[in-house]
Structure formats: structure tokens, C-alpha cells
């Protein structure tokens, strides 16, 4: 071969090598590189196998992404740049857990998994690809959009429990969901966000299955359309059909802070994974408004139970840690961690909120056992004649407010606030007390207790308790001749409680969630036995032929009032998941590596994601 030919061949080989390197770089580009600061959305590639994603030919495959916005954001604020801060470790060291203790938990973990498998089998056989199963009648229910909520909500639980065959089958079913299609006249965007988008993102973070990310982008785009209002505040009870027709959308005049704030974790994580910062920007702007409302409310530091998001007003006079606000409060330390500690506003919001909560909402209930415990009540604010606010504690406690113990445990460790660990222990012990005091050993949806006059000394007073029961009943049904002893007996009111407005138990996870969080942060081994006793009690009381069903009355230890015909998706996705995790080794979904959204779905923290990426590049 002459010299000219060798030179020509060499040039060709160099060109081929450079071309291949260019293609490799393009195909392996970092998905977290932020796009230009512009409201336009970046292109998202179509699924690799379109045959796996059947759809209505009359509708485009990316309906919500292609839908023009009536009120686009004027600017896209990027996620904070730079490396994540070196945040404090949240979990107690594994050396605090003995081998004997870990060995003892294996049979408990297996029992929880067996309960899950039994419920999953019933759902698959009787309600597959529908929202939820009615376990008494054996009928499917579609009250959450008809998109298979139980299916999506439990993807990560299947993976965590090592049920990979069932997981793969579920993923195949999820690829068939058409989020563009729903018969529901109204969509609860809060539930869709936390259960569907949260479930898809967590399952993707755990498995790396690209199909789940594709579906998460679809859901994210749909929910993003609910922000298309004049002030960019999301509609929480949303008519997607009106939005599809590009009719006017307005933020609501009455919604809860829990619902309107719930997007911050899911939208942030979606932006971190895809690089599309429209999502995180939309959620962040809502939180900026909520930060302003926090200072302007009638009880600065807390948010009222009702917000007027259309007028950006927070002038309601009732405050609670219950269902109207739980997701907002618990998201604050988690958002700080998910953003790698690079956005201080979430720490500021958490510290302001917890100061007010500790001063006004938390109270010590008088109890016959003399336990030094705390529970979260509600606060009513009235204005005096001179225009100053006056607060009044309403000692009504919601089961859903039991998240507070876990929040104080995580926030106290993350922000190094020692008093919060003490508060966390008292709050968790308070929810355990409220459960164990009931005739069935299960906490009701709502109860009222006798507040102690002092948090340092609170001796039991039988007469005072009965007087408070008498007074409470007379405010509802005036009867000066009421016999308190007979009323307590007939209504099965435990000592220390003055009323139980809602006697149901709806398979809720909040108590075991906080027990799990506190155990992981402190290593308190007595919580393991408490959790096991709680699991056995709930399982024995709620187990029915086709799964588990809620209870009508937790004060009825004879079981005469029966069950409610609904197995909420969160029974498996949260309640059983937290029971399973507390009996697992502490390295499984470490709180140093993951944050759990309000529906119990774990998202990778930036530090873990960067470590995994560095390992893959080696």
C-alpha cells in the first residue's frame, strides 16, 4: 500500500473514531444538565417500543405537553447549582442494633410481607388495574381517576419486598395507563401527585426502569397543566376536561395548604432526573407564596386550614396539624434535604412553623398512667376589640396529625435542634398511648382529650376528667341532668378522653410512620416491640376474606359494628411498607440516602445519586 493510500486510510479511521466518540457522548449525555432558562419545554423522546403503549389514535401521545399554556411562567428559576451540602447523618448508627435484635425481626418482617402478599393477590384477582378494592364485596372501585391507584402506589413496595416478578408484571400494566383518559369529572391533583407521580418516581429511583420515568413525565405534564392559572397557583380539584378544551382555569378560593403545597418533593425530583426545570420552578413558586402567607397568617408560623389561592389570602382563623396541613409541614425538612441543603428557605419555614406549633398546638393530655407525652391539637384564633389576636386551644387530635413525631425527629436531626428529639419522643409516645388506650388497641380518626394545666406536672384527677366529659357533651347536646358515668359507659370512652367524634380507623399509616422515623433516628429498641404489637392488633382487627378493611368503631372491642368496605391503596403502600421497613436492617432505605414523600414513596437524595453516578463512570 503506497503512502498516499495509507494517509487516506488513516484520515478515514480518525474520522470514524471521532464520529463514534461524538455519538457516544451524545447518547450518554448527563440527564441532569439544566436546559436554557426558558418557558419552552425540552423534547422528551418517545418510548422505545411504541407497541407497548397503545393509545387512542384520535389523541396525540403527549396531549398535556403539546397543550398551549394560557398563562406561561415569565421565567424559569433553575434548581440551586453546586454540590450538595454535607448534611448531618439522620440515622442512628447500625452498631446500636444488636445481632440478636436483627435476627428477632426476621419473622416479624416475614409476617408483614405475608400480609402484603395476601392483599396484593386479592387486588390482582378482583380489582386489577382499578383504583382500589372493596374487600367486603370484592368489587373494584375507581374514585381516584380510574388509573389504577393501588397498582402505581405499590410499585416501590413490591420492589422493596423483593417481589420482582410481581413488580415486572405491574410495570407492564402501568405502561398501558392512559392518563389522558378519565371518566372522573374532577381530579384530586394532590392525590394524583403524591400517589401516582410519587409512586412512579420512587419505583424508577429503585429499579432504573426507563418506562417508569416515561410515565412519570406524562403524569408530570398533566399535573403541570393544573398550574395554568392567572397567578400560577395549582388547582387541587381539577376538571381536566376543561383544561383539555383550553377553557379558563382559576385557582380555588377555598383549598387546604396540604393540597396546594404537595408538589414540592415530586416536582423537584422529576426536574432533578429529567433536567426539565419547569416542574421544580412551578412548585417552588407556590412555596415562595406559602412562605409569605406563613408570616401573614393570624397565627404567624402556621398556615390556616383554608387558603384562598385565587386571591393569595390566608385569613382563616383555624389552625391544625391534621389532614388540612400535614403534607405541608412534613415536606419542609424533606425539601431541604432533597435540594441538598442548598435552599435555606425550607429550613427557615420549618423552624418558624415548629416554634409556633410547639407553643400553641402541642399539649400534654391528662392520663391515668401519668405518662409525660404530647399530642397535637387545633388552635382557634379570635381578634379582640383592640385588634390583637387571642388563641384558644381545641384539644381535638386527628390520627393524621401523628406524622408530627416523625417530622420533629427528622427535622431535629437534620437541623441539629436537640429539643426537637425530646418533642419527637413525646409525640410518638402520645400516639402510642392514644392507640393502646382504646378498647381495640387502635387509635380512632379523631378524639378529644383533657389538656393538662402544666406540661411539667399533671396528676390524674378522676373527677376533673368526668367533669370535662360532662361539659363537652353539654356543648353539643345541652342536658344539665346528664349522668357522666352512664355516658362514659354507654359511649365506651376511655379514661383521659372526653369525646371521640370519629370512631373509625381507615387503615392509616401515620402512627407507624412516626414510630419508624423515630426508631431510625434514635435507635430506641422498645419501639420494635411496640410496632409488632401494633401490627398484630391491626392485622387481627382488620383482616377480612379479601384483604384488610377499615373499622367502623375502635371502641367496639366486641366487633359488633364491623368494617368499612374499602381497602385504601395506602394500606399496602404506606402502612404495611413502614411496618416492613421498621423490621428490616437500618441500611434498607436509609434516611441518609432517601426522603419519603407524604405518600410513603422514597426519593434518592442528591448525594446518593451522585455517588451512584460516579461509581457507574469508574
Amino acid at each position: 500500500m503506497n503512502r498516499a493510500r495509507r494517509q487516506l486510510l488513516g484520515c478515514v479511521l480518525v474520522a470514524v473514531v471521532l464520529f463514534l466518540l461524538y455519538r457516544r457522548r451524545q447518547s450518554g449525555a448527563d440527564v441532569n444538565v439544566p436546559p436554557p432558562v426558558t418557558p419552552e419545554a425540552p423534547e422528551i423522546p418517545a418510548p422505545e417500543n411504541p407497541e407497548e403503549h397503545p393509545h387512542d389514535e384520535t389523541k396525540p401521545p403527549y396531549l398535556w405537553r403539546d397543550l398551549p399554556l394560557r398563562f406561561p411562567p415569565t421565567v424559569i428559576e433553575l434548581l440551586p447549582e453546586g454540590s450538595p451540602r454535607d448534611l448531618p447523618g439522620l440515622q442512628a448508627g447500625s452498631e446500636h442494633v444488636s445481632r440478636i435484635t436483627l435476627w428477632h425481626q426476621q419473622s416479624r418482617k416475614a409476617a408483614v410481607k405475608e400480609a402484603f402478599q395476601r392483599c396484593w393477590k386479592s387486588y390482582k384477582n378482583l380489582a386489577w388495574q382499578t383504583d382500589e378494592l372493596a374487600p367486603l364485596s370484592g368489587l373494584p372501585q375507581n374514585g381516584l381517576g380510574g388509573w389504577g391507584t393501588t397498582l402505581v402506589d405499590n410499585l416501590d413496595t413490591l420492589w422493596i419486598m423483593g417481589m420482582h416478578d410481581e413488580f415486572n408484571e405491574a410495570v407492564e400494566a402501568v405502561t398501558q395507563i392512559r392518563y389522558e383518559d378519565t371518566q372522573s369529572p374532577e381530579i384530586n391533583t394532590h392525590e394524583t401527585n403524591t400517589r401516582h407521580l410519587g409512586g412512579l418516581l420512587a419505583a424508577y429511583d429503585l429499579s432504573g426502569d426507563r418506562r417508569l420515568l416515561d410515565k412519570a413525565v406524562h403524569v408530570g405534564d398533566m399535573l403541570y397543566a393544573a398550574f395554568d392559572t392567572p397567578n400560577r397557583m395549582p388547582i387541587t380539584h381539577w376538571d381536566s376536561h376543561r383544561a383539555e378544551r383550553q377553557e379558563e382555569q382559576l385557582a380555588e378560593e377555598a383549598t387546604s395548604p396540604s393540597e396546594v403545597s404537595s408538589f414540592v418533593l415530586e416536582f423537584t425530583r422529576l426536574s432533578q432526573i429529567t433536567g426539565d426545570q419547569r416542574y421544580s420552578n412551578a412548585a417552588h413558586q407556590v412555596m415562595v407564596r406559602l412562605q409569605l402567607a406563613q408570616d401573614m397568617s393570624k397565627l404567624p408560623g402556621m398556615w390556616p386550614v383554608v387558603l384562598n389561592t385565587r386571591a393569595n389570602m390566608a385569613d382563616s382563623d383555624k389552625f391544625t396539624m391534621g389532614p388540612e396541613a400535614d403534607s405541608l409541614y412534613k415536606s419542609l425538612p424533606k425539601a431541604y434535604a432533597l435540594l441538598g441543603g442548598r435552599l435555606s428557605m425550607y429550613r427557615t419555614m420549618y423552624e418558624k412553623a415548629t416554634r409556633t406549633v410547639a407553643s400553641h398546638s402541642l399539649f400534654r393530655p391528662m392520663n391515668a398512667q401519668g405518662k409525660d407525652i404530647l399530642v397535637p391539637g387545633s388552635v382557634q384564633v379570635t381578634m379582640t376589640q383592640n385588634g390583637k389576636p387571642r388563641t384558644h386551644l381545641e384539644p381535638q387530635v386527628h390520627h393524621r396529625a401523628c406524622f408530627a413525631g416523625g417530622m420533629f425527629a427528622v427535622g431535629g436531626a437534620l437541623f441539629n435542634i436537640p429539643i426537637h428529639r425530646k418533642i419527637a419522643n413525646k409525640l410518638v409516645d402520645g400516639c402510642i398511648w392514644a392507640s393502646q388506650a382504646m378498647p381495640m388497641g387502635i387509635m380512632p380518626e379523631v378524639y378529644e382529650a383533657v389538656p393538662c394545666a402544666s406540661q411539667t406536672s399533671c396528676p390524674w384527677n378522676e373527677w376533673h376528667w368526668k367533669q370535662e366529659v360532662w361539659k363537652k357533651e353539654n356543648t353539643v347536646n345541652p342536658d344539665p341532668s346528664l349522668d357522666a358515668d352512664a355516658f362514659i359507659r354507654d359511649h365506651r370512652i376511655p379514661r383521659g378522653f372526653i369525646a371521640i367524634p370519629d370512631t373509625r380507623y381507615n387503615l392509616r399509616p401515620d402512627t407507624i410512620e412516626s414510630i419508624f422515623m423515630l426508631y431510625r433516628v434514635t435507635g430506641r429498641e422498645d419501639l420494635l416491640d411496640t410496632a409488632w404489637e401494633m401490627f398484630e392488633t391491626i392485622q387481627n382487627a382488620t383482616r377480612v376474606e379479601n384483604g384488610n378493611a377499615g373499622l367502623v368503631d375502635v371502641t367496639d372491642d366486641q366487633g359488633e359494628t364491623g368494617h368499612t368496605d374499602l381497602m385504601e391503596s395506602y394500606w399496602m403502600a404506606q402502612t404495611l411498607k413502614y411496618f416492613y421497613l421498621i423490621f428490616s436492617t437500618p441500611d434498607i432505605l436509609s434516611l441518609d440516602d432517601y426522603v419519603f414523600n407524604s405518600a410513603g414513596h422514597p426519593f434518592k437524595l442528591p448525594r446518593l445519586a451522585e455517588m451512584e453516578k460516579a461509581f457507574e463512570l469508574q
Side-chain angles (χ1 to χ4, degrees):
M1 183 181 294
N2 60 35
R3 182 177 180 182
R5 286 189 175 183
R6 287 198 302 270
Q7 289 178 337
L8 177 61
L9 180 60
C11 291
V12 171
L13 289 173
V14 169
V16 170
V17 170
L18 290 174
F19 177 75
L20 291 175
L21 288 173
Y22 173 79
R23 290 293 301 274
R24 180 180 180 183
R25 181 180 179 185
Q26 289 296 101
S27 63
D30 183 356
V31 296
N32 287 313
V33 174
V37 185
T38 172
E40 284 83 21
E43 292 294 327
I44 298 294
E48 296 179 2
N49 187 356
E51 287 75 23
E52 294 182 357
H53 302 263
H55 62 273
D56 184 350
E57 295 296 335
T58 65
K59 293 185 177 181
Y62 297 102
L63 169 67
W64 298 111
R65 177 164 287 262
D66 295 338
L67 197 67
L69 294 178
R70 294 169 59 89
F71 303 100
T74 56
V75 66
I76 300 290
E77 186 172 341
L78 300 181
L79 288 168
E81 297 181 351
S83 299
R85 296 183 61 184
D86 187 15
L87 301 177
L90 300 186
Q91 290 209 156
S94 58
E95 65 273 8
H96 289 281
V97 186
S98 67
R99 291 185 178 180
I100 295 176
T101 298
L102 292 176
W103 175 84
H104 188 51
Q105 307 315 311
Q106 293 304 308
S107 61
R108 296 175 171 180
K109 185 172 73 169
V112 177
K113 181 176 180 179
E114 181 181 356
F116 177 91
Q117 289 172 317
R118 181 173 169 275
C119 292
W120 184 257
K121 182 178 179 180
S122 293
Y123 170 73
K124 181 181 176 182
N125 291 339
L126 301 171
W128 186 242
Q129 293 182 286
T130 64
D131 283 336
E132 291 168 324
L133 170 64
L136 301 183
S137 61
L139 297 175
Q141 303 290 318
N142 273 320
L144 294 168
W147 296 314
T149 300
T150 295
L151 178 68
V152 180
D153 212 6
N154 283 282
L155 288 169
D156 56 335
T157 314
L158 290 168
W159 183 272
I160 292 165
M161 293 189 177
M163 299 170 62
H164 292 159
D165 290 341
E166 293 85 350
F167 173 83
N168 291 327
E169 183 181 25
V171 172
E172 288 292 334
V174 166
T175 63
Q176 300 171 24
I177 298 174
R178 285 284 298 173
Y179 283 100
E180 289 82 358
D181 301 328
T182 179
Q183 299 303 314
S184 299
E186 187 178 87
I187 295 170
N188 186 315
T189 54
H190 162 71
E191 298 292 352
T192 304
N193 174 62
T194 57
R195 300 199 208 188
H196 283 261
L197 182 55
L200 291 165
L201 289 171
Y204 172 74
D205 264 348
L206 294 171
S207 70
D209 192 318
R210 175 72 194 201
R211 294 172 296 174
L212 297 171
L213 179 56
D214 290 337
K215 194 59 72 172
V217 169
H218 291 185
V219 179
D221 286 340
M222 178 182 71
L223 293 171
Y224 186 75
F227 286 74
D228 192 18
T229 63
N231 62 358
R232 300 293 301 166
M233 292 294 281
I235 303 172
T236 56
H237 301 90
W238 182 51
D239 186 339
S240 63
H241 304 291
R242 286 175 54 87
E244 185 178 342
R245 295 191 298 266
Q246 290 190 269
E247 297 179 11
E248 184 181 34
Q249 301 186 103
L250 296 173
E252 287 145 295
E253 293 182 297
T255 188
S256 72
S258 182
E259 291 177 319
V260 77
S261 68
S262 69
F263 302 89
V264 62
L265 297 179
E266 293 77 11
F267 272 30
T268 296
R269 186 64 190 135
L270 186 58
S271 289
Q272 289 175 339
I273 295 172
T274 65
D276 184 346
Q277 310 225 7
R278 294 176 307 137
Y279 309 112
S280 58
N281 177 72
H284 175 67
Q285 297 307 321
V286 172
M287 298 304 288
V288 168
R289 286 194 173 97
L290 288 175
Q291 185 181 30
L292 295 174
Q294 182 182 25
D295 294 331
M296 296 171 61
S297 76
K298 293 181 179 178
L299 187 59
M302 292 183 71
W303 291 271
V305 298
V306 177
L307 297 176
N308 182 338
T309 54
R310 187 178 303 178
N312 297 319
M313 294 175 62
D315 58 356
S316 176
D317 53 13
K318 186 173 182 180
F319 300 79
T320 181
M321 297 289 283
E324 298 89 353
D326 56 347
S327 293
L328 172 53
Y329 290 111
K330 71 165 71 174
S331 72
L332 298 176
K334 296 175 181 181
Y336 181 85
L338 187 59
L339 287 160
R342 291 170 291 189
L343 206 55
S344 61
M345 65 173 280
Y346 292 108
R347 175 173 185 162
T348 302
M349 293 169 75
Y350 170 82
E351 291 178 344
K352 285 182 178 179
T354 50
R355 279 197 297 268
T356 304
V357 166
S359 300
H360 295 278
S361 175
L362 306 186
F363 70 94
R364 178 176 176 174
M366 186 176 71
N367 59 91
Q369 299 82 12
K371 294 179 178 292
D372 184 7
I373 54 179
L374 291 173
V375 294
S378 299
V379 181
Q380 189 77 31
V381 178
T382 57
M383 305 302 293
T384 61
Q385 290 183 345
N386 59 5
K388 293 185 178 180
R390 175 180 296 168
T391 61
H392 171 69
L393 173 67
E394 296 181 349
Q396 185 176 91
V397 183
H398 292 259
H399 194 141
R400 285 178 61 176
C402 277
F403 82 89
M407 180 196 70
F408 272 95
V410 170
L414 183 62
F415 302 128
N416 191 26
I417 309 176
I419 189 62
H420 282 199
R421 175 174 290 199
K422 185 177 181 179
I423 293 173
N425 278 280
K426 290 186 178 184
L427 283 169
V428 169
D429 288 341
C431 289
I432 293 171
W433 164 77
S435 299
Q436 294 176 342
M438 291 293 146
M440 293 185 73
I442 300 172
M443 183 179 169
E445 291 293 300
V446 184
Y447 71 85
E448 296 185 30
V450 182
C452 294
S454 167
Q455 288 197 8
T456 58
S457 176
C458 189
W460 172 252
N461 187 317
E462 188 91 3
W463 178 86
H464 178 56
W465 163 55
K466 292 179 180 179
Q467 282 294 106
E468 290 299 311
V469 172
W470 186 91
K471 286 167 56 179
K472 176 62 183 179
E473 178 58 18
N474 267 269
T475 60
V476 180
N477 300 302
D479 180 8
S481 63
L482 176 71
D483 184 332
D485 289 307
F487 183 83
I488 289 169
R489 182 184 65 251
D490 295 342
H491 289 80
R492 300 185 291 267
I493 298 178
R495 299 173 83 193
F497 297 79
I498 57 178
I500 308 177
D502 191 343
T503 61
R504 296 173 300 158
Y505 170 64
N506 291 332
L507 304 176
R508 294 209 180 277
D510 307 272
T511 299
I512 184 57
E513 175 188 354
S514 279
I515 291 175
F516 162 73
M517 296 290 181
L518 183 63
Y519 168 69
R520 285 290 185 89
V521 171
T522 65
R524 263 183 62 182
E525 290 197 6
D526 66 290
L527 294 174
L528 294 171
D529 290 336
T530 299
W532 176 245
E533 178 184 340
M534 188 172 291
F535 170 74
E536 286 194 305
T537 299
I538 293 173
Q539 178 71 351
N540 292 336
T542 64
R543 175 170 173 161
V544 295
E545 182 179 356
N546 296 317
N548 291 70
L551 301 170
V552 174
D553 189 350
V554 298
T555 69
D556 177 19
D557 56 353
Q558 302 301 314
E560 296 176 356
T561 51
H563 299 84
T564 57
D565 193 16
L566 182 61
M567 185 169 69
E568 296 266 12
S569 72
Y570 57 66
W571 162 248
M572 291 188 282
Q574 296 185 64
T575 310
L576 290 181
K577 179 190 294 174
Y578 284 123
F579 275 119
Y580 183 85
L581 287 174
I582 197 172
F583 301 131
S584 302
T585 56
D587 60 305
I588 303 299
L589 294 181
S590 167
L591 299 185
D592 295 329
D593 296 330
Y594 291 87
V595 292
F596 290 79
N597 81 339
S598 62
H601 298 301
F603 301 156
K604 283 180 183 176
L605 289 172
R607 182 181 64 84
L608 177 62
E610 291 192 1
M611 288 172 58
E612 291 180 344
K613 185 187 297 182
F615 180 77
E616 291 172 358
L617 294 175
Q618 290 179 356

